[in-house]
């Protein structure tokens, strides 16, 4: 009764904009699972693939169709650890997933943030945007959070906001970048 466009949405929109009456298409009857696999393969082959879309496709295939992360890693030619890391992104708040999708936040930044509690993630996101932090700097923030007491980490955050600079508190020194 209806057709669903799996691939070629941009081409269809361009053809409509050019007011083309006919466009070549391939019509095939596929299952939902096959459609997800086609979309995953297309996402893999794109020059600028969307990591959040990949995560959602992998989650759907593992949850509803029983694919293992190993099977998916073979299919998209990435390591199983990479698939695990990609899927872990889905634990981040939706606002951050949206930022990753539109390219405002890099996968490297998000991968570093995923192990933090949500309140710290949201604070760190503000710092990333305010100070233009690199992935390495975000990884260092995560490392400091995990290695320090909450009081020292909170004091660093307070000083960051007060002096509008990235602050590091060590045993015998306080530094600002």
């Amino acid at each position: 009764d209806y057709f669903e466009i799996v691939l070629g949405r941009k081409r269809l929109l361009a053809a409509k904009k050019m007011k083309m009456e006919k466009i070549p298409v391939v019509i095939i009857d596929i299952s939902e699972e096959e459609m997800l696999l086609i979309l995953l393969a297309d996402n893999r082959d794109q020059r600028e693939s969307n990591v959040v879309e990949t995560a959602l496709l992998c989650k759907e295939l593992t949850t509803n169709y029983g694919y293992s992360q190993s099977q998916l890693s073979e299919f998209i030619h990435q390591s199983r650890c990479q698939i695990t890391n990609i899927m872990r992104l889905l634990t981040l708040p939706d606002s951050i997933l949206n930022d990753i999708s539109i390219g405002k936040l890099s996968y490297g930044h998000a991968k570093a943030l995923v192990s933090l509690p949500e309140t710290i993630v949201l604070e760190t996101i503000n710092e990333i945007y305010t100070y233009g932090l690199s992935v390495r700097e975000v990884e260092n923030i995560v490392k400091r959070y995990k290695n320090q007491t909450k009081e020292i980490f909170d004091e660093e955050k307070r000083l960051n906001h007060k002096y509008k600079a990235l602050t590091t508190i060590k045993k015998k020194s306080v530094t600002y970048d």
Side-chain angles (χ1 to χ4, degrees):
D1 294 340
Y2 70 96
F3 295 96
E4 185 174 348
I5 300 169
V6 176
L7 300 175
R9 293 176 197 272
K10 290 179 186 175
R11 281 176 274 172
L12 176 65
L13 294 173
K16 283 183 176 182
K17 196 170 192 173
M18 294 176 55
K19 297 182 169 98
M20 295 176 66
E21 291 183 26
K22 294 182 181 181
I23 55 172
V25 297
V26 175
I27 298 173
I28 56 175
D29 187 20
I30 59 173
S31 67
E32 179 89 13
E33 178 183 358
E34 290 169 320
M35 180 185 68
L36 292 170
L37 290 168
I38 289 170
L39 288 171
L40 186 61
D42 182 57
N43 199 24
R44 169 199 67 199
D45 295 340
Q46 288 179 10
R47 194 171 305 145
E48 293 182 26
S49 65
N50 184 335
V51 71
V52 175
E53 186 176 321
T54 300
L56 291 168
L57 289 166
C58 287
K59 180 182 179 201
E60 187 74 18
L61 286 163
T62 56
T63 303
N64 294 334
Y65 298 101
Y67 283 83
S68 68
Q69 290 181 2
S70 296
Q71 289 172 313
L72 293 173
S73 71
E74 288 177 26
F75 185 69
I76 62 175
H77 308 295
Q78 293 185 358
S79 70
R80 192 201 54 74
C81 293
Q82 182 73 357
I83 299 299
T84 301
N85 288 332
I86 289 171
M87 290 178 70
R88 285 179 65 211
L89 293 180
L90 297 177
T91 63
L92 292 169
D94 289 343
S95 61
I96 295 174
L97 292 177
N98 186 51
D99 287 353
I100 299 165
S101 290
I102 62 174
K104 186 175 177 183
L105 185 70
S106 76
Y107 168 65
H109 285 97
K111 183 180 166 189
L113 292 171
V114 85
S115 64
L116 295 175
E118 188 171 334
T119 55
I120 303 299
V121 167
L122 296 174
E123 288 176 17
T124 307
I125 281 291
N126 289 332
E127 289 181 16
I128 290 170
Y129 295 149
T130 302
Y131 305 117
L133 301 180
S134 68
V135 172
R136 180 68 42 117
E137 289 170 322
V138 174
E139 288 171 345
N140 288 335
I141 288 172
V142 171
K143 195 181 296 181
R144 281 197 317 271
Y145 175 79
K146 290 181 175 181
N147 291 336
Q148 291 179 340
T149 66
K150 177 141 176 54
E151 293 79 26
I152 292 175
F153 190 78
D154 289 343
E155 183 64 15
E156 278 184 357
K157 294 289 183 190
R158 189 186 71 70
L159 292 171
N160 285 348
H161 293 295
K162 182 176 180 179
Y163 296 108
K164 299 195 181 351
L166 192 59
T167 309
T168 305
I169 298 175
K170 295 184 179 172
K171 232 178 195 179
K172 295 183 180 183
S173 67
V174 177
T175 58
Y176 300 98
D177 290 334

